[in-house]
Amino acid sequence: MNQLILSSPSSSGCSGYSHLNLQQTHQLHAHFIKTQFHNPHPFFSQSHFTPEANYNLLISSYTNNHLPQASLNCYLHMRTNDAAAALDNFILPSLLKACAQASSADLGRELHGFAQKNGFASDVFVCNALMNMYEKCGCLVSASLVFDKMPERDVVSWSTMLGCYVRSKAFGEALRLVREMQFVGVKLSGVALISLIGVFGNLLDMKSGRAVHGYIMRNVGDEKMEVSLTTALIDMYCKCECLASAQRLFDRLSKRSVVSWTVMIKGCIRSCRLVEGAKNFNRMLEEKLFPNEITLLSLITECGFVKTLDLGKWFHAYLLRNGFGMSLALVTALIDMYGKCGQVGYARALFNGVEKKDVKIWSALISAYAHVSCMDQVFNLFLEMLDNEVKPNKVTMVSLLSLCAEAGTLDLGKWTHAYINRHGLEVDVILETALINMYVKCGDVTIARSLFDEATQRDIHMWNAMMAGFSMHGCGKEALELFSEMESHGVEPNDITFISIFHACSHSGLVVEGKKHFNRMVHNFGIVPKMEHYGCLVDLLGRAGHLEEAHNIIENMPMRPNTIIWGALLAACKLHKNLALGEVAARKILELDPQNCGYSVLKSNIYASAKRWNDVTSVRETMSHLGMKKEPGLSWIEVNGSVHHFKSGDKTCTQTTKVYEMVAEMCIKLREAGYTPNTAEVLLNIDEEEKESALSYHSEKLAMAFGLISTAPGTPIRIIKNLRICDDCHAAMKLLSKIYARTIIVRDRNRFHHFSEGYCSCLGYW
DNA sequence: ATAGGGTTAG
């Protein structure tokens, strides 16, 4: 044992001293406490012993046994006993590793200062450990500063820095570093290659990922790295939704680790191959490999991602049955999974069972409530969290913002934005995108655009959010301009980008542009059109009246069209009053989904517009026979930070009398302006709002009346509706905007309508 | 090598 004590630093740079196993460590500690660190333990030879050696051995042992706090306590003990001066470049990495494990940025910085004062700041091992420490504590900038100042670097320094960038999701920086490595002639180590594969997996860039795969096949013969490199490749293929390639690699892998299995099963779940995932899990157990905590964390998280409650519950049961301690991370993952599956009850129960709660667990519960749109609970929980002196982080704020976006509550969204600024929370790409998305969905594209322009970093998601914003607001031209701007920035569009582009074209009548971009998507960008893209194309052509061409697309698309595709055609037939084709579409929809009530209604509307009243009645009778229910129409408006909901004919509002008086006034003024309710139109649109309430009491009109009585003259009125706005309300809103000199911004299920001076921004495309 | 958050036709 003696010769172990002062062995030379290992190449990892983090375990300069040898270490003991957990049991020995505890023994050693007990001995030191008894002797105040001044007598040697039997592990030491007398001649080598110093009190500092006791500390050092203890520190490296605790760190390597993943007890960072114990390790750091030893350091604090050293400091109070004036023994810290004995720290050298061999033990510093071990302490820094403990700081990383415990996320103690303050102690880490202190040790950095110590290293600088004592001439260890240019030691390669110390620097490598510093980089890791800073990154794990969330200070990527400090990590790269350390790297930049290093007088000399070894292979580990380069791959450490690369790993830091990848873990912090700074993929652009990571790629820049790889280019620099190639430029200065540093060969990519196995570890560096793993990080590089991670970059492409996260960027969903399979082309480059495949290239790295090829490079490895040709250049890497290191057998020690086989399993980890292949595992990284499997993960990359899974993330890029190429399960077949992943499975092939996995099957050929000579030795599989728990991580290989984890990654493979995770990939199955992500691609919704649940049975295969479960089978693989059992195969893993049969091969006597057992899941660790991270395995379960990953799999449970993945269940949330694809919203598979059953499998999620199964893993929950598995960990209970197999004696996994309920760590904070596991509970958080479970809360997150239940939240994404819409099971707030389970999420809440798990949350209540936790004694000491951190930001992550609070954020997970908040996002669970956000998923089911519980505005009050979300903001109350947020305040409760602050009362408990837990500080929110960027992830918490993203949840709040996406709820504000969904609910369209601009005031609350602005409050959240202000909170971020007031508390100096770091705004990264994701948070910035969440802000842009919030402003877009709350109806303020101008602020969204300025945030977008000022953003220091833009990824594809942010570009997409901004383009989707323009398309929702009917700004087709702006969306297309942004697309070419993105191209000139060299950012590759993805499938989602094109959905926004087609949507934008469709809502601005840009048929030629839309078709052109469909071709570019396929031929220039190599994106295989999905069902969604064909849906957009049908909508684009149909809206513009090219019904036959749209029908042709459906007949010739490579997959079986779903109800949504036929629904787009049916809606176009209704718009252009093509009864024959409409019937074809309606029949297809009912074949595919006999329970689908929306389309039954649409079908009856087509009959109504052709004045075939007997057919209308028969469709209605079939519907009530099958017990089909429509989604009730709902509108809401935010005034002074609180949200007021209205159903059609609603009388539950506290100011009901005033609201209905206002509606009466609106009706009189509308009639004076020459407006008559269009009863034919009513029939055409009963799909969207219950028929029993008269037109005047449609939910958006009630919300409008409420807005008029509770906001200052001249301020814009913002209304959100869960269904499509009906023709009648649309016509009324145009006039109302003029009568009351208000800008009215209505977000319906499809898009925004900006009413002003008697006009609507949608120009009939909706 | 596996571990929270953002973008998606009708």
Side-chain angles (χ1 to χ4, degrees):
Chain A
M1 187 56 82
N2 296 346
Q3 64 275 26
L4 283 175
I5 306 303
L6 292 168
S7 60
S8 61
S10 73
S11 60
S12 81
C14 279
S15 48
Y17 283 80
S18 299
H19 57 271
L20 311 169
N21 67 30
L22 194 55
Q23 201 192 350
Q24 292 169 322
T25 310
H26 287 315
Q27 258 177 38
L28 187 69
H29 201 174
H31 171 81
F32 288 158
I33 288 169
K34 241 188 289 169
T35 66
Q36 290 288 306
F37 283 77
H38 284 102
N39 291 323
H41 189 270
F43 290 134
F44 291 95
S45 76
Q46 289 292 334
S47 59
H48 278 130
F49 175 76
T50 59
E52 289 76 26
N54 274 344
Y55 280 116
N56 289 349
L57 179 60
L58 201 52
I59 286 171
S60 72
S61 298
Y62 273 132
T63 302
N64 284 293
N65 284 297
H66 295 279
L67 290 169
Q69 211 47 63
S71 176
L72 294 176
N73 285 340
C74 292
Y75 164 67
L76 295 175
H77 197 260
M78 275 175 103
R79 204 174 56 177
T80 47
N81 290 306
D82 293 324
L87 294 173
D88 58 16
N89 52 336
F90 297 142
I91 198 65
L92 272 172
S94 195
L95 274 175
L96 289 167
K97 189 175 170 185
C99 292
Q101 286 173 9
S103 297
S104 321
D106 292 343
L107 272 186
R109 275 189 203 287
E110 181 181 313
L111 288 165
H112 190 180
F114 175 87
Q116 281 168 332
K117 252 182 271 154
N118 294 279
F120 301 126
S122 44
D123 181 273
V124 181
F125 297 117
V126 172
C127 286
N128 293 350
L130 276 169
M131 288 190 276
N132 262 325
M133 181 277 294
Y134 277 126
E135 190 277 326
K136 294 252 164 64
C137 295
C139 318
L140 183 64
V141 180
S142 305
S144 64
L145 227 65
V146 171
F147 180 77
D148 290 341
K149 285 190 185 152
M150 282 175 84
E152 51 184 312
R153 304 168 181 140
D154 63 3
V155 195
V156 180
S157 317
W158 287 93
S159 47
T160 300
M161 193 62 240
L162 184 59
C164 288
Y165 283 137
V166 175
R167 275 191 301 275
S168 297
K169 300 194 188 297
F171 304 122
E173 287 298 293
L175 291 173
R176 193 192 50 73
L177 191 73
V178 170
R179 277 193 289 273
E180 199 182 327
M181 284 171 86
Q182 285 169 330
F183 183 71
V184 297
V186 182
K187 199 167 171 265
L188 286 165
S189 66
V191 177
L193 282 167
I194 288 169
S195 295
L196 185 59
I197 297 165
V199 173
F200 298 132
N202 277 292
L203 294 176
L204 308 178
D205 181 355
M206 193 162 74
K207 249 187 265 169
S208 309
R210 243 188 228 296
V212 180
H213 187 179
Y215 172 85
I216 292 168
M217 301 295 275
R218 277 177 275 127
N219 298 291
V220 182
D222 188 354
E223 279 183 26
K224 269 191 300 186
M225 295 302 294
E226 192 215 332
V227 181
S228 41
L229 272 172
T230 312
T231 302
L233 285 168
I234 293 172
D235 188 42
M236 184 273 294
Y237 284 120
C238 284
K239 286 193 173 123
C240 296
E241 290 179 77
C242 191
L243 204 60
S245 299
Q247 188 76 52
R248 232 187 345 264
L249 276 176
F250 184 78
D251 290 340
R252 273 186 294 186
L253 200 53
S254 56
K255 252 188 22 218
R256 296 173 195 137
S257 68
V258 180
V259 183
S260 328
W261 282 100
T262 304
V263 165
M264 194 62 236
I265 299 168
K266 207 166 80 101
C268 292
I269 300 175
R270 163 122 343 177
S271 312
C272 289
R273 309 272 269 270
L274 303 183
V275 180
E276 246 172 285
K279 266 189 196 153
N280 275 330
F281 192 83
N282 286 322
R283 271 175 62 204
M284 170 178 73
L285 299 179
E286 279 162 21
E287 293 194 10
K288 298 273 178 282
L289 275 174
F290 297 100
N292 58 26
E293 187 175 314
I294 299 177
T295 306
L296 287 164
L297 276 173
S298 317
L299 299 184
I300 290 167
T301 306
E302 215 53 46
C303 289
F305 190 84
V306 295
K307 299 186 174 47
T308 164
L309 181 60
D310 290 343
L311 195 59
K313 272 186 174 169
W314 192 86
F315 286 129
H316 187 179
Y318 179 89
L319 67 92
L320 291 177
R321 268 182 293 144
N322 289 278
F324 277 85
M326 265 296 183
S327 69
L328 207 52
L330 270 176
V331 190
T332 308
L334 284 166
I335 290 176
D336 186 63
M337 181 272 292
Y338 283 123
K340 290 198 172 114
C341 295
Q343 304 289 320
V344 251
Y346 288 126
R348 182 87 223 197
L350 281 162
F351 178 85
N352 289 342
V354 175
E355 284 276 323
K356 250 180 84 69
K357 301 174 176 92
D358 66 353
V359 218
K360 291 185 185 182
I361 200 162
W362 278 100
S363 305
L365 189 67
I366 288 175
S367 101
Y369 280 104
H371 269 285
V372 285
S373 309
C374 295
M375 189 52 99
D376 294 347
Q377 277 95 330
V378 164
F379 278 88
N380 285 337
L381 271 172
F382 182 69
L383 297 176
E384 206 184 309
M385 178 176 107
L386 298 180
D387 278 347
N388 281 277
E389 284 169 7
V390 176
K391 281 191 192 133
N393 62 14
K394 43 191 179 184
V395 180
T396 326
M397 303 323 271
V398 168
S399 290
L400 298 186
L401 286 170
S402 38
L403 178 59
C404 293
E406 198 217 274
T409 50
L410 186 62
D411 290 348
L412 267 177
K414 279 187 172 166
W415 181 85
T416 310
H417 189 182
Y419 185 95
I420 294 167
N421 290 337
R422 249 186 304 138
H423 291 81
L425 286 170
E426 187 211 348
V427 180
D428 63 2
V429 224
I430 296 184
L431 187 50
E432 194 78 70
T433 306
L435 281 167
I436 291 171
N437 182 44
M438 182 276 289
Y439 280 112
V440 156
K441 298 237 170 88
C442 291
D444 203 324
V445 235
T446 318
I447 299 188
R449 176 79 218 219
S450 59
L451 286 178
F452 179 84
D453 288 338
E454 287 157 19
T456 45
Q457 198 196 344
R458 292 178 205 143
D459 65 1
I460 181 65
H461 302 289
M462 194 186 277
W463 286 96
N464 283 353
M466 196 62 238
M467 265 181 264
F470 282 134
S471 83
M472 276 191 92
H473 287 270
C475 312
K477 237 184 74 208
E478 286 85 345
L480 288 170
E481 277 166 13
L482 201 65
F483 181 79
S484 26
E485 202 183 319
M486 183 176 94
E487 274 192 283
S488 61
H489 276 78
V491 179
E492 279 270 309
N494 62 14
D495 51 338
I496 291 165
T497 316
F498 283 101
I499 287 176
S500 294
I501 289 298
F502 301 147
H503 190 209
C505 291
S506 172
H507 284 273
S508 305
L510 301 166
V511 185
V512 180
E513 282 290 332
K515 284 207 274 192
K516 193 182 98 191
H517 279 88
F518 195 90
N519 282 325
R520 293 197 59 205
M521 174 178 85
V522 179
H523 298 113
N524 298 21
F525 297 103
I527 295 171
V528 180
K530 293 186 179 174
M531 187 81 87
E532 289 90 330
H533 297 108
Y534 287 106
C536 291
L537 197 56
V538 169
D539 183 56
L540 173 77
L541 295 166
R543 249 177 231 280
H546 307 295
L547 295 174
E548 278 310 321
E549 201 179 341
H551 189 201
N552 231 343
I553 299 275
I554 299 181
E555 294 295 347
N556 293 307
M557 54 193 267
M559 65 282 273
R560 199 173 159 212
N562 61 10
T563 52
I564 296 171
I565 301 268
W566 286 112
L569 184 66
L570 181 55
C573 290
K574 184 198 136 193
L575 185 67
H576 296 284
K577 309 218 173 3
N578 185 327
L579 194 62
L581 194 56
E583 252 182 311
V584 173
R587 210 175 313 118
K588 290 281 186 189
I589 290 164
L590 292 174
E591 255 171 52
L592 289 166
D593 181 10
Q595 294 294 309
N596 194 309
C597 103
Y599 297 125
S600 303
V601 181
L602 207 48
K603 187 173 152 188
S604 96
N605 292 338
I606 289 185
Y607 289 137
S609 66
K611 304 207 172 11
R612 284 164 55 174
W613 306 115
N614 288 338
D615 290 322
V616 173
T617 318
S618 112
V619 173
R620 293 279 162 183
E621 276 170 1
T622 318
M623 282 180 65
S624 69
H625 183 67
L626 289 170
M628 294 178 179
K629 276 214 187 80
K630 286 180 287 174
E631 192 184 343
L634 213 61
S635 297
W636 59 92
I637 180 170
E638 182 194 38
V639 175
N640 296 327
S642 51
V643 183
H644 304 262
H645 287 266
F646 295 90
K647 282 193 301 242
S648 46
D650 203 340
K651 300 238 163 101
T652 57
C653 172
T654 46
Q655 302 195 53
T656 294
T657 324
K658 278 185 163 177
V659 168
Y660 278 79
E661 276 169 21
M662 193 67 217
V663 173
E665 188 198 304
M666 278 158 52
C667 288
I668 294 167
K669 295 211 171 172
L670 278 170
R671 212 155 288 146
E672 283 168 8
Y675 156 90
T676 44
N678 184 342
T679 39
E681 289 286 296
V682 189
L683 268 167
L684 272 168
N685 287 285
I686 38 185
D687 54 315
E688 301 293 6
E689 195 92 62
E690 288 294 337
K691 191 189 166 190
E692 57 256 32
S693 52
L695 275 176
S696 335
Y697 302 123
H698 266 181
S699 59
E700 56 267 56
K701 290 214 183 96
L702 296 179
M704 174 68 193
F706 184 82
L708 281 171
I709 58 174
S710 47
T711 61
T715 50
I717 293 179
R718 295 164 197 276
I719 296 168
I720 314 280
K721 183 168 182 176
N722 65 335
L723 304 171
R724 255 187 70 171
I725 185 170
C726 78
D727 296 87
D728 181 75
C729 286
H730 194 264
M733 290 291 177
K734 280 201 238 178
L735 285 170
L736 289 169
S737 72
K738 192 169 180 176
I739 294 168
Y740 289 98
R742 297 273 200 140
T743 300
I744 308 166
I745 299 158
V746 178
R747 186 183 96 186
D748 74 2
R749 200 184 50 195
N750 284 352
R751 59 165 292 158
F752 274 95
H753 301 264
H754 294 254
F755 298 96
S756 174
E757 312 250 346
Y759 291 95
C760 178
S761 62
C762 78
L763 303 171
Y765 289 104
W766 49 290

